[in-house]
Amino acid sequence: MSYQEILDAVRALELANDTTSPKQVRSQVLFAETLLQWLLRLPGESWQQRWHASGANAAGNEWTTLAALPDKHGHLVAAAGRLLMLDVIRPDYSWLYATHATPRLYERLRALRDPAGFAIIERLCDTDARMLPSDRRHALNQLTRMLVHNGGTLGEITLSDCIEAHRGQDGYRGRSQPRWYTLLREAAILPTDSPPTIFAASRRGQLTIEEMVDRYDVACRPIRDLFVAYLYERRPAMDYNSIRYLAAKLVLLFWRDLEIHEPGIDSLNLSDEIARRWKTRLTGPVLYGSNRVGKKREDPYTILMAVRAFYADLSHWALEDPVRWAAWAAPSPVDSRDLAGMNKMLKQSRSRTHQRIRELAPLLPRLVDAASDNRAAAKALLDTAAAALPGESFTQAGHTLRRTTLSDDGSGGRKVSRGHVYVDTPVLGGTSERPQDNRRNLSLESDRAFWAWALVEVLRHTGARIEEVLEITHRSFVSYRLPSTGEVIPMLQITPSKTDKERLLVIGPELAVAFAEIISHVRGDKEQLPLISRYDSAERVHSPELPFLFQRPWGTGRIAMSSSYVIKLLDELVTTARITNTDGSPAKFSPHDFRRIFATDAVASGLPVHITAKILGHDSIATTQTYVAVYDHDVIDHHRAYIARRRALRPSQEYREPTDSEWDEFLGHFAQRKLELGTCGRAYGSGCQHEHACIRCPMLRPDPDQHERLRGIIDSLEERIAEATERGWFGEVDGLRTSLAAAGQKLIQMQRTATNLGMPNVPRRPDNTR
């Protein structure tokens, strides 16, 4: 459209509006002239090109400042709205989401662009009982933006248009309002096989093998083709997540690393020097590759194992199919010497894991009680608040709150969303300038407390992996009738996950109660559980719509819980309950910790290891044994039983009762070990070898209760050092400094000691007993 044609169209547009006066018509034409004259000064052959050249898309709501007309802000904004209605310019989504358009403008855009299409959408909105006026407004405005950006009508919107609109919402507060997408599906504008939600549609699906390799920009084309062929051979026996990590290890961390540090390399036959330099770099950070910048390789042995298996496969396949693979067979740069430390590393890792379980297992009862108490408290608070009238104050558990009065008319003010109950905490000493800062959503708090309790119960009673728990549906429950007694046993079907093996678990009474509560919570007042699709972040696929148990409301719809959300709930529960480790640091429960604790308790309770392996879904008993953390008291019990068996086999005269003098001498030894600052650690029957210089003696075991006494000794030593230095007693200074350093070490030992075990109080036997 030419300059004059646009002005004529603006005049006709305003004349068609019955509420516009002749003066307003002239004003809108003048505003359009102001905007067009600014655009005419910019390079471009069309108005759209000039708009892009202006930089307005990136400027967002501050775009009018680019025109250098500070007194024309309102004129430019009004003129931009008319150009949008006339489809003269099509701004990017960054501009559409950043600018604050009036509701009247969007209403006129819908009436001009596609009134019939929007009428269908509004009828669908009328049939949705859960849709609030604000949800309706968000959905209609989003669809209007899409027509402004793309042109055309609603019926011409494609799936790629939806993905572009969603990805352009970065930072936009309406991102959690995805109802517009489902309205397009319900109106049959999008095909029936389109993803169920916009979140599902916008996620990147599985990469092909070629895409996995090409993302690392391999310079040598023959080597690139080799990796593609190799990964295709390995693909049938591996899941998607495993093949993706294998590609990263071989292509990025092995070959791409070599290309960067050894320019021009084009052969797998590496010299000893090149191989040595590469293995040395494995201990440092990764400085290249997408999403890996600066990430330290915590386990270089997995990379070494992958490379060694790669060379071994090529050598083996060269014998079976020499035409295809023989050219690539070469000596492996990784030998057994490079993997010598792997067993030590695995043992250290296993030891750390066992110690972690020993620390967390005693804390589990506290976590269970805290989850139950938090759930009950949140439910009681919600019920009390729901019974109060808006604006009414009430007291619950010693806290005074006020039921929030919020609008729900869709006017853009704050509202009670989908029946949620909000309360305000009164501010002491006055009122807050931002009441929402003291506002709590009790419905959300109660829901989070319930799911924290439900997750703890299911994880600790099943020992299942977190992905297996999140995949439980209402169809996962089956029953088994014992052939001998006819008793019906409820069973839980665990769908194949890591090992692709299905298994059944017996549902105990406590677990049955938890599942019943979950089903009732999710179903609400409906007859059946809602059907939703779950995204598998490891496999990067979406499941069919199923009645998943672990689902929650999200905007106007529902979504399946993610592993990150579960971890967040567990962290909140631990923080609320103030559960700490023995050293006072905050405890940390991960979903997999429940699985290890389950295995340890099962074996400790007498369940055979091979049965525990079946329950956990392990292919090897050795894997289950790594999960079982042996407690110290187990070692002590078995050791005592061994001593008892050995004593029974030895001559009885070797185990005579001690005489009174021997007993007194034995007790006297421990009495002589009592010192001012603690206890001497010398063995029974041995004297002091350090001339009783206890402050310097490494055998002194400091008592934390003597902390202040040792502090006084240190202060005295410092004063004596100062006096000796002043008087020139330098020989004395050296000895005092040695004592001061030793005292400082003893003070550190006192501070590190968590528990003073002391010595057992052995009672004196009567004289007439032996």
Side-chain angles (χ1 to χ4, degrees), residues 58-177:
N61 199 39
E62 304 296 329
W63 69 276
T64 57
T65 58
L66 302 174
L69 298 172
D71 57 336
K72 303 293 185 180
H73 172 78
H75 299 180
L76 296 175
V77 171
R82 272 61 190 175
L83 296 189
L84 294 180
M85 285 188 281
L86 296 174
D87 201 17
V88 175
I89 58 175
R90 295 179 180 178
D92 293 345
Y93 282 116
S94 57
W95 187 89
L96 291 171
Y97 291 128
T99 55
H100 305 291
T102 61
R104 175 60 179 162
L105 173 62
Y106 278 177
E107 291 174 2
R108 294 184 65 183
L109 280 166
R110 289 193 282 271
L112 286 171
R113 294 295 182 90
D114 189 7
F118 280 102
I120 296 175
I121 297 297
E122 295 205 24
R123 284 196 295 270
L124 292 174
C125 294
D126 294 336
T127 60
D128 189 349
R130 284 181 54 85
M131 179 172 281
L132 299 174
S134 59
D135 302 326
R136 184 192 191 106
R137 184 179 67 254
H138 276 297
L140 293 176
N141 287 350
Q142 177 64 11
L143 295 176
T144 305
R145 292 188 192 97
M146 295 177 68
L147 295 192
V148 170
H149 177 72
N150 299 318
T153 62
L154 291 176
E156 298 173 341
I157 292 179
T158 62
L159 181 62
S160 59
D161 294 333
C162 297
I163 296 174
E164 181 188 11
H166 176 73
R167 291 177 177 171
Q169 287 182 309
D170 187 23
Y172 176 59
R173 60 186 176 87
R175 186 178 177 84
S176 61
Q177 302 287 340

Side-chain angles (χ1 to χ4, degrees), residues 390-666:
E392 180 182 355
S393 298
F394 62 92
T395 301
Q396 177 70 17
H399 299 282
T400 301
L401 303 171
R402 182 176 60 251
R403 177 78 182 271
T404 307
T405 304
L406 298 173
S407 64
D408 192 19
D409 55 2
S411 61
R414 295 192 173 272
K415 55 191 176 299
V416 179
S417 176
R418 280 164 285 281
H420 288 190
V421 177
Y422 291 82
V423 296
D424 292 328
T425 304
V427 180
L428 299 178
T431 59
S432 174
E433 296 181 359
R434 291 172 50 86
Q436 60 271 23
D437 294 340
N438 304 307
R439 187 161 296 158
R440 296 169 56 186
N441 185 342
L442 296 187
S443 299
L444 180 60
E445 290 181 9
S446 178
D447 185 73
R448 295 174 75 91
F450 171 84
W451 284 119
W453 167 82
L455 286 163
V456 168
E457 291 297 306
V458 174
L459 287 171
R460 76 185 183 99
H461 285 302
T462 61
R465 303 177 181 91
I466 182 59
E467 60 268 20
E468 295 172 341
V469 170
L470 297 181
E471 289 176 357
I472 297 176
T473 70
H474 204 187
R475 305 172 186 174
S476 300
F477 303 105
V478 296
S479 59
Y480 173 72
R481 185 181 299 274
L482 293 176
S484 58
T485 62
E487 180 184 359
V488 177
I489 300 178
M491 308 285 288
L492 174 65
Q493 179 190 25
I494 300 295
T495 55
S497 61
K498 185 175 181 179
T499 58
D500 290 334
K501 285 187 177 181
E502 178 190 52
R503 64 186 192 275
L504 294 174
L505 303 180
V506 177
I507 299 178
E510 293 179 330
L511 185 58
V513 170
F515 279 134
E517 294 279 355
I518 293 172
I519 294 172
S520 176
H521 183 83
V522 175
R523 182 165 51 193
D525 55 357
K526 299 180 181 179
E527 295 183 0
Q528 298 178 344
L529 269 68
L531 301 178
I532 62 170
S533 176
R534 179 181 178 275
Y535 178 71
D536 190 334
S537 58
E539 293 295 318
R540 293 190 179 182
V541 294
H542 286 84
S543 71
E545 293 189 343
L546 296 171
F548 287 102
L549 262 61
F550 291 91
Q551 58 173 283
R552 61 191 180 96
W554 179 261
T556 58
R558 303 184 70 86
I559 60 172
M561 290 188 188
S562 62
S563 300
S564 59
Y565 185 75
V566 173
I567 295 174
K568 184 184 298 184
L569 290 180
L570 293 177
D571 290 344
E572 290 179 356
L573 179 59
V574 170
T575 303
T576 303
R578 298 179 180 178
I579 300 176
T580 59
N581 297 314
T582 54
D583 60 355
S585 60
K588 173 71 175 179
F589 278 87
S590 69
H592 213 71
D593 290 332
F594 293 90
R595 182 172 170 84
R596 295 190 176 98
I597 295 175
F598 176 89
T600 301
D601 290 343
V603 174
S605 301
L607 189 66
V609 176
H610 67 283
I611 300 298
T612 306
K614 291 290 185 183
I615 294 175
L616 296 178
H618 289 156
D619 290 334
S620 172
I621 296 179
T623 305
T624 308
Q625 290 174 335
T626 62
Y627 274 56
V628 178
V630 179
Y631 287 89
D632 291 339
H633 66 78
D634 295 333
V635 176
I636 294 172
D637 291 343
H638 286 84
H639 194 188
R640 292 181 63 189
Y642 163 73
I643 294 175
R645 291 192 302 269
R646 186 185 65 175
R647 183 172 183 175
L649 297 175
R650 295 185 67 84
S652 59
Q653 58 270 21
E654 295 186 7
Y655 298 98
R656 64 178 178 81
E657 294 291 338
T659 64
D660 290 341
S661 60
E662 290 173 338
W663 186 254
D664 291 339
E665 181 184 354
F666 178 75

Side-chain angles (χ1 to χ4, degrees), residues 121-347:
I121 297 297
E122 295 205 24
R123 284 196 295 270
L124 292 174
C125 294
D126 294 336
T127 60
D128 189 349
R130 284 181 54 85
M131 179 172 281
L132 299 174
S134 59
D135 302 326
R136 184 192 191 106
R137 184 179 67 254
H138 276 297
L140 293 176
N141 287 350
Q142 177 64 11
L143 295 176
T144 305
R145 292 188 192 97
M146 295 177 68
L147 295 192
V148 170
H149 177 72
N150 299 318
T153 62
L154 291 176
E156 298 173 341
I157 292 179
T158 62
L159 181 62
S160 59
D161 294 333
C162 297
I163 296 174
E164 181 188 11
H166 176 73
R167 291 177 177 171
Q169 287 182 309
D170 187 23
Y172 176 59
R173 60 186 176 87
R175 186 178 177 84
S176 61
Q177 302 287 340
R179 187 69 175 92
W180 57 272
Y181 177 84
T182 55
L183 287 172
L184 292 176
R185 294 184 75 235
E186 294 170 5
I189 295 174
L190 295 178
T192 56
D193 60 347
S194 58
T197 64
I198 184 57
F199 303 108
S202 61
R203 286 190 174 104
R204 179 69 181 271
Q206 292 187 353
L207 300 176
T208 64
I209 297 297
E210 289 82 359
E211 290 173 329
M212 292 181 190
V213 176
D214 290 340
R215 66 192 301 198
Y216 301 123
D217 300 325
V218 176
C220 182
R221 188 70 183 183
I223 296 292
R224 177 264 180 197
D225 296 337
L226 171 65
F227 281 122
V228 170
Y230 176 79
L231 293 174
Y232 266 117
E233 291 291 326
R234 295 289 307 274
R235 180 70 177 90
M238 306 177 71
D239 58 26
Y240 175 78
N241 205 37
S242 299
I243 199 68
R244 185 165 60 91
Y245 278 112
L246 179 60
K249 294 171 185 175
L250 294 179
V251 184
L252 172 65
L253 302 178
F254 171 58
W255 185 255
R256 186 58 183 150
D257 179 279
L258 291 174
E259 287 190 336
I260 292 175
H261 296 89
E262 312 290 342
I265 188 171
D266 59 357
S267 173
L268 293 178
N269 193 355
L270 307 181
S271 65
D272 293 341
E273 185 64 22
I274 292 177
R276 185 189 60 78
R277 287 197 295 265
W278 169 70
K279 285 180 283 190
T280 302
R281 289 193 297 270
L282 287 180
T283 59
V286 182
L287 302 177
Y288 41 82
S290 60
N291 302 323
R292 294 177 180 273
V293 177
K295 182 179 179 182
K296 184 174 175 24
R297 304 177 181 93
E298 297 179 356
D299 185 6
Y301 291 106
T302 60
I303 305 172
L304 293 172
M305 287 292 293
V307 173
R308 189 179 189 187
F310 170 66
Y311 276 84
D313 288 338
L314 293 181
S315 299
H316 179 70
W317 296 346
L319 298 176
E320 297 179 346
D321 189 0
V323 175
R324 185 179 183 188
W325 302 105
W328 301 108
S332 174
V334 181
D335 56 27
S336 58
R337 292 171 298 179
D338 299 320
L339 303 176
M342 185 171 62
N343 289 334
K344 180 180 179 180
M345 184 205 66
L346 292 176
K347 290 179 181 179

Side-chain angles (χ1 to χ4, degrees), residues 373-390:
D373 295 342
N374 287 351
R375 178 199 173 193
K379 183 65 168 59
L381 180 59
L382 176 63
D383 293 341
T384 304
L389 298 175

